[in-house]
Amino acid sequence: MAGEVPVKALLFASYADAYGSTEVPLLLVAGSTVGDAVAAVRAKVPTAIPARPLVALNERYAKYDEHLSPGDEIALIPPVAGG
Amino acid sequence: MRAALVTRSSDVAALIAEATDHSCGAVSVFLGTVRNVHEGKAVTGIEYQAYDAMAVRELQAILGRAHERFETGHIVVEHRLGFLGLGEVSVAIVAAHPHRQRAMDATRYAIEEIKKTVPIWKLEHYADGTREWVDPTRASIVIEPSPVAEVVG
């Protein structure tokens, strides 16, 4: 449908465990931002994901006010713990 | 420079050979290993997971910044994924330079940056059968020793 923005949201670690999957397909309205996508994911698992988690857009850290395009991949990044 | 995620043990001797040439008078190696305790709980192993494509991109960006800061392109990093037992190497960083200070600074910089920005997570497995995702942003639980009453004889 025109005006809708399909986006794929990726979850990892504790966020993925809480949701029960590593991928959340989203259908957002035109003009939606990274922040809107985070809010849409959080609506599904509100207690497991903090209000403003780190987020990546197409494999780069992103700001919440960046606009989304159809086919974008966002990732909610739990606190990293490499090393 | 090379950054990679790997699912088998890193061959440290091979990494040293890869990072070094005859212009280098110093080689610095940092190895992160799986420790047997975390916040007082006995650990039996750690499972590492990554957002692979972004993690490699971030690792490469760190090596790029290290190259600029410490003037060495002789730097290699491998981060292991999957389940690792106690003592296994989770991350190997090798930096070489004509002089020791910059070789050591480059490895130190790389590991500190990896811990800040690279999307890798670890699920600790404990001896009591529980598991927990490690959250370095959470305040550590400080276990205070119990006050000992003075015994007056």
Side-chain angles (χ1 to χ4, degrees), chain A residues 13 17 60-61 73 78 81 83, chain B residues 48-49 51 57 79 117 120 133:
Chain A
D17 284 357
R60 295 174 192 275
Y61 285 110
E73 177 181 279
Chain B
Y48 285 87
Q49 181 188 98
Y51 180 10
R57 189 191 286 274
H79 199 299
T117 71
I120 294 175
W133 290 103

Side-chain angles (χ1 to χ4, degrees), chain B residues 28-51:
Chain B
S28 175
V29 176
F30 174 85
L31 304 177
T33 55
V34 176
R35 192 176 60 214
N36 66 359
V37 65
H38 179 66
E39 292 182 346
K41 292 185 77 172
V43 173
T44 56
I46 296 179
E47 203 173 321
Y48 285 87
Q49 181 188 98
Y51 180 10

